[in-house]
mmCIF file of all heavy atoms in Angstrom:
data_model
loop_
_atom_site.group_PDB
_atom_site.id
_atom_site.type_symbol
_atom_site.label_atom_id
_atom_site.label_comp_id
_atom_site.label_asym_id
_atom_site.label_seq_id
_atom_site.Cartn_x
_atom_site.Cartn_y
_atom_site.Cartn_z
ATOM 1 N N ALA A 203 7.307 -7.825 8.076
ATOM 2 C CA ALA A 203 6.448 -6.668 7.836
ATOM 3 C C ALA A 203 6.219 -5.891 9.125
ATOM 4 O O ALA A 203 6.238 -4.654 9.142
ATOM 5 C CB ALA A 203 5.122 -7.119 7.237
ATOM 6 N N THR A 204 6.009 -6.612 10.219
ATOM 7 C CA THR A 204 5.831 -5.964 11.522
ATOM 8 C C THR A 204 7.091 -5.217 11.922
ATOM 9 O O THR A 204 7.033 -4.089 12.446
ATOM 10 C CB THR A 204 5.472 -7.011 12.592
ATOM 11 O OG1 THR A 204 4.304 -7.730 12.180
ATOM 12 C CG2 THR A 204 5.208 -6.356 13.940
ATOM 13 N N GLN A 205 8.244 -5.833 11.658
ATOM 14 C CA GLN A 205 9.522 -5.180 11.972
ATOM 15 C C GLN A 205 9.685 -3.893 11.159
ATOM 16 O O GLN A 205 10.124 -2.859 11.692
ATOM 17 C CB GLN A 205 10.672 -6.142 11.673
ATOM 18 C CG GLN A 205 12.051 -5.580 11.973
ATOM 19 C CD GLN A 205 13.164 -6.547 11.583
ATOM 20 O OE1 GLN A 205 12.923 -7.730 11.333
ATOM 21 N NE2 GLN A 205 14.388 -6.046 11.531
ATOM 22 N N ALA A 206 9.349 -3.951 9.880
ATOM 23 C CA ALA A 206 9.464 -2.758 9.034
ATOM 24 C C ALA A 206 8.539 -1.655 9.511
ATOM 25 O O ALA A 206 8.915 -0.472 9.542
ATOM 26 C CB ALA A 206 9.150 -3.121 7.583
ATOM 27 N N ALA A 207 7.312 -2.012 9.915
ATOM 28 C CA ALA A 207 6.354 -1.022 10.384
ATOM 29 C C ALA A 207 6.794 -0.390 11.701
ATOM 30 O O ALA A 207 6.664 0.825 11.904
ATOM 31 C CB ALA A 207 4.978 -1.657 10.537
ATOM 32 N N ALA A 208 7.328 -1.213 12.613
ATOM 33 C CA ALA A 208 7.819 -0.686 13.889
ATOM 34 C C ALA A 208 8.976 0.281 13.651
ATOM 35 O O ALA A 208 9.078 1.329 14.305
ATOM 36 C CB ALA A 208 8.255 -1.832 14.798
ATOM 37 N N LYS A 209 9.837 -0.067 12.703
ATOM 38 C CA LYS A 209 10.967 0.797 12.363
ATOM 39 C C LYS A 209 10.470 2.117 11.782
ATOM 40 O O LYS A 209 10.987 3.195 12.120
ATOM 41 C CB LYS A 209 11.856 0.066 11.362
ATOM 42 C CG LYS A 209 13.118 0.805 10.949
ATOM 43 C CD LYS A 209 13.916 -0.046 9.964
ATOM 44 C CE LYS A 209 15.163 0.693 9.472
ATOM 45 N NZ LYS A 209 15.896 -0.110 8.453
ATOM 46 N N ALA A 210 9.467 2.070 10.923
ATOM 47 C CA ALA A 210 8.922 3.290 10.322
ATOM 48 C C ALA A 210 8.263 4.176 11.369
ATOM 49 O O ALA A 210 8.417 5.405 11.345
ATOM 50 C CB ALA A 210 7.931 2.923 9.218
ATOM 51 N N LEU A 211 7.519 3.574 12.282
ATOM 52 C CA LEU A 211 6.899 4.362 13.352
ATOM 53 C C LEU A 211 7.950 5.038 14.212
ATOM 54 O O LEU A 211 7.810 6.218 14.580
ATOM 55 C CB LEU A 211 5.992 3.469 14.207
ATOM 56 C CG LEU A 211 4.631 3.125 13.601
ATOM 57 C CD1 LEU A 211 3.950 2.023 14.420
ATOM 58 C CD2 LEU A 211 3.739 4.361 13.541
ATOM 59 N N ALA A 212 9.008 4.311 14.532
ATOM 60 C CA ALA A 212 10.073 4.894 15.355
ATOM 61 C C ALA A 212 10.733 6.066 14.637
ATOM 62 O O ALA A 212 10.997 7.114 15.248
ATOM 63 C CB ALA A 212 11.104 3.824 15.700
ATOM 64 N N GLU A 213 10.986 5.922 13.338
ATOM 65 C CA GLU A 213 11.625 6.999 12.585
ATOM 66 C C GLU A 213 10.705 8.200 12.412
ATOM 67 O O GLU A 213 11.168 9.343 12.354
ATOM 68 C CB GLU A 213 12.080 6.484 11.221
ATOM 69 C CG GLU A 213 13.247 5.509 11.302
ATOM 70 C CD GLU A 213 13.823 5.171 9.931
ATOM 71 O OE1 GLU A 213 13.413 5.822 8.937
ATOM 72 O OE2 GLU A 213 14.682 4.273 9.869
ATOM 73 N N SER A 214 9.409 7.952 12.330
ATOM 74 C CA SER A 214 8.455 9.050 12.133
ATOM 75 C C SER A 214 8.191 9.828 13.417
ATOM 76 O O SER A 214 7.732 10.974 13.364
ATOM 77 C CB SER A 214 7.133 8.500 11.606
ATOM 78 O OG SER A 214 6.448 7.759 12.616
ATOM 79 N N GLY A 215 8.446 9.189 14.566
ATOM 80 C CA GLY A 215 8.134 9.818 15.836
ATOM 81 C C GLY A 215 6.665 9.740 16.210
ATOM 82 O O GLY A 215 6.230 10.372 17.175
ATOM 83 N N VAL A 216 5.900 8.961 15.467
ATOM 84 C CA VAL A 216 4.469 8.811 15.741
ATOM 85 C C VAL A 216 4.254 7.698 16.756
ATOM 86 O O VAL A 216 4.768 6.584 16.579
ATOM 87 C CB VAL A 216 3.692 8.497 14.441
ATOM 88 C CG1 VAL A 216 2.225 8.189 14.745
ATOM 89 C CG2 VAL A 216 3.803 9.665 13.467
ATOM 90 N N ASP A 217 3.512 8.003 17.800
ATOM 91 C CA ASP A 217 3.191 6.985 18.798
ATOM 92 C C ASP A 217 2.181 5.994 18.208
ATOM 93 O O ASP A 217 1.216 6.403 17.552
ATOM 94 C CB ASP A 217 2.599 7.645 20.045
ATOM 95 C CG ASP A 217 2.387 6.654 21.167
ATOM 96 O OD1 ASP A 217 1.344 5.962 21.158
ATOM 97 O OD2 ASP A 217 3.256 6.561 22.051
ATOM 98 N N PRO A 218 2.379 4.687 18.416
ATOM 99 C CA PRO A 218 1.423 3.710 17.883
ATOM 100 C C PRO A 218 -0.016 3.987 18.284
ATOM 101 O O PRO A 218 -0.952 3.684 17.530
ATOM 102 C CB PRO A 218 1.917 2.383 18.466
ATOM 103 C CG PRO A 218 3.391 2.591 18.654
ATOM 104 C CD PRO A 218 3.536 4.027 19.066
ATOM 105 N N GLY A 219 -0.215 4.585 19.451
ATOM 106 C CA GLY A 219 -1.567 4.886 19.908
ATOM 107 C C GLY A 219 -2.281 5.926 19.070
ATOM 108 O O GLY A 219 -3.507 6.069 19.164
ATOM 109 N N GLU A 220 -1.523 6.664 18.236
ATOM 110 C CA GLU A 220 -2.127 7.689 17.388
ATOM 111 C C GLU A 220 -2.475 7.186 15.991
ATOM 112 O O GLU A 220 -3.068 7.918 15.191
ATOM 113 C CB GLU A 220 -1.179 8.883 17.259
ATOM 114 C CG GLU A 220 -0.882 9.618 18.548
ATOM 115 C CD GLU A 220 -0.005 10.833 18.291
ATOM 116 O OE1 GLU A 220 1.232 10.655 18.217
ATOM 117 O OE2 GLU A 220 -0.566 11.936 18.147
ATOM 118 N N VAL A 221 -2.108 5.946 15.672
ATOM 119 C CA VAL A 221 -2.354 5.404 14.338
ATOM 120 C C VAL A 221 -3.839 5.080 14.173
ATOM 121 O O VAL A 221 -4.437 4.403 15.011
ATOM 122 C CB VAL A 221 -1.499 4.142 14.100
ATOM 123 C CG1 VAL A 221 -1.866 3.478 12.772
ATOM 124 C CG2 VAL A 221 -0.018 4.491 14.125
ATOM 125 N N GLY A 222 -4.417 5.574 13.089
ATOM 126 C CA GLY A 222 -5.829 5.325 12.830
ATOM 127 C C GLY A 222 -6.089 4.313 11.746
ATOM 128 O O GLY A 222 -7.225 3.901 11.531
ATOM 129 N N LEU A 223 -5.025 3.881 11.035
ATOM 130 C CA LEU A 223 -5.205 2.974 9.907
ATOM 131 C C LEU A 223 -3.930 2.177 9.658
ATOM 132 O O LEU A 223 -2.831 2.733 9.633
ATOM 133 C CB LEU A 223 -5.548 3.770 8.639
ATOM 134 C CG LEU A 223 -5.594 3.005 7.320
ATOM 135 C CD1 LEU A 223 -6.742 2.001 7.304
ATOM 136 C CD2 LEU A 223 -5.714 3.975 6.146
ATOM 137 N N LEU A 224 -4.081 0.871 9.480
ATOM 138 C CA LEU A 224 -3.003 -0.009 9.047
ATOM 139 C C LEU A 224 -3.468 -0.752 7.803
ATOM 140 O O LEU A 224 -4.509 -1.415 7.827
ATOM 141 C CB LEU A 224 -2.640 -1.026 10.132
ATOM 142 C CG LEU A 224 -1.706 -2.151 9.681
ATOM 143 C CD1 LEU A 224 -0.287 -1.625 9.488
ATOM 144 C CD2 LEU A 224 -1.713 -3.321 10.655
ATOM 145 N N ILE A 225 -2.701 -0.615 6.714
ATOM 146 C CA ILE A 225 -3.006 -1.334 5.479
ATOM 147 C C ILE A 225 -1.843 -2.267 5.160
ATOM 148 O O ILE A 225 -0.704 -1.817 5.018
ATOM 149 C CB ILE A 225 -3.227 -0.379 4.293
ATOM 150 C CG1 ILE A 225 -4.376 0.587 4.580
ATOM 151 C CG2 ILE A 225 -3.524 -1.177 3.025
ATOM 152 C CD1 ILE A 225 -4.589 1.618 3.468
ATOM 153 N N ASN A 226 -2.128 -3.546 5.060
ATOM 154 C CA ASN A 226 -1.139 -4.513 4.586
ATOM 155 C C ASN A 226 -1.379 -4.750 3.105
ATOM 156 O O ASN A 226 -2.514 -4.972 2.681
ATOM 157 C CB ASN A 226 -1.263 -5.834 5.341
ATOM 158 C CG ASN A 226 -0.474 -6.929 4.650
ATOM 159 O OD1 ASN A 226 0.744 -6.898 4.592
ATOM 160 N ND2 ASN A 226 -1.190 -7.893 4.079
ATOM 161 N N THR A 227 -0.309 -4.718 2.315
ATOM 162 C CA THR A 227 -0.452 -4.878 0.864
ATOM 163 C C THR A 227 0.281 -6.112 0.337
ATOM 164 O O THR A 227 0.515 -6.235 -0.858
ATOM 165 C CB THR A 227 0.074 -3.619 0.137
ATOM 166 O OG1 THR A 227 1.490 -3.501 0.341
ATOM 167 C CG2 THR A 227 -0.611 -2.367 0.648
ATOM 168 N N SER A 228 0.632 -7.031 1.212
ATOM 169 C CA SER A 228 1.411 -8.214 0.825
ATOM 170 C C SER A 228 0.649 -9.121 -0.143
ATOM 171 O O SER A 228 -0.538 -9.405 0.063
ATOM 172 C CB SER A 228 1.786 -9.028 2.067
ATOM 173 O OG SER A 228 2.421 -8.229 3.038
ATOM 174 N N VAL A 229 1.347 -9.581 -1.165
ATOM 175 C CA VAL A 229 0.817 -10.654 -2.003
ATOM 176 C C VAL A 229 0.913 -11.975 -1.242
ATOM 177 O O VAL A 229 -0.003 -12.803 -1.283
ATOM 178 C CB VAL A 229 1.601 -10.738 -3.332
ATOM 179 C CG1 VAL A 229 1.205 -11.998 -4.102
ATOM 180 C CG2 VAL A 229 1.347 -9.497 -4.176
ATOM 181 N N THR A 230 2.020 -12.161 -0.525
ATOM 182 C CA THR A 230 2.229 -13.389 0.241
ATOM 183 C C THR A 230 1.196 -13.511 1.351
ATOM 184 O O THR A 230 0.868 -12.543 2.035
ATOM 185 C CB THR A 230 3.635 -13.388 0.873
ATOM 186 O OG1 THR A 230 4.617 -13.256 -0.154
ATOM 187 C CG2 THR A 230 3.881 -14.675 1.652
ATOM 188 N N ARG A 231 0.675 -14.719 1.517
ATOM 189 C CA ARG A 231 -0.224 -15.013 2.639
ATOM 190 C C ARG A 231 -0.197 -16.517 2.879
ATOM 191 O O ARG A 231 -0.026 -17.297 1.944
ATOM 192 C CB ARG A 231 -1.643 -14.510 2.380
ATOM 193 C CG ARG A 231 -2.285 -15.053 1.144
ATOM 194 C CD ARG A 231 -3.452 -14.189 0.638
ATOM 195 N NE ARG A 231 -4.261 -13.623 1.664
ATOM 196 C CZ ARG A 231 -4.220 -12.319 2.037
ATOM 197 N NH1 ARG A 231 -3.360 -11.507 1.457
ATOM 198 N NH2 ARG A 231 -5.011 -11.866 2.969
ATOM 199 N N THR A 232 -0.357 -16.898 4.116
ATOM 200 C CA THR A 232 -0.325 -18.324 4.451
ATOM 201 C C THR A 232 -1.725 -18.909 4.582
ATOM 202 O O THR A 232 -1.883 -20.125 4.651
ATOM 203 C CB THR A 232 0.439 -18.551 5.770
ATOM 204 O OG1 THR A 232 -0.103 -17.692 6.777
ATOM 205 C CG2 THR A 232 1.917 -18.223 5.585
ATOM 206 N N HIS A 233 -2.746 -18.050 4.623
ATOM 207 C CA HIS A 233 -4.134 -18.508 4.693
ATOM 208 C C HIS A 233 -5.038 -17.413 4.158
ATOM 209 O O HIS A 233 -4.610 -16.254 3.997
ATOM 210 C CB HIS A 233 -4.532 -18.879 6.126
ATOM 211 C CG HIS A 233 -4.005 -17.943 7.161
ATOM 212 N ND1 HIS A 233 -4.359 -16.610 7.241
ATOM 213 C CD2 HIS A 233 -3.111 -18.134 8.166
ATOM 214 C CE1 HIS A 233 -3.739 -16.032 8.250
ATOM 215 N NE2 HIS A 233 -2.957 -16.932 8.823
ATOM 216 N N LEU A 234 -6.276 -17.754 3.878
ATOM 217 C CA LEU A 234 -7.204 -16.785 3.302
ATOM 218 C C LEU A 234 -7.791 -15.847 4.348
ATOM 219 O O LEU A 234 -8.114 -14.698 4.041
ATOM 220 C CB LEU A 234 -8.336 -17.517 2.574
ATOM 221 C CG LEU A 234 -7.906 -18.297 1.317
ATOM 222 C CD1 LEU A 234 -9.091 -19.032 0.716
ATOM 223 C CD2 LEU A 234 -7.287 -17.360 0.286
#
Side-chain angles (χ1 to χ4, degrees):
T204 304
Q205 181 183 346
K209 183 179 177 183
L211 283 169
E213 290 189 8
S214 70
V216 174
D217 186 277
E220 297 184 276
V221 174
L223 172 66
L224 169 73
I225 301 177
N226 167 67
T227 66
S228 307
V229 171
T230 302
R231 57 201 322 105
T232 52
H233 40 64
L234 293 177

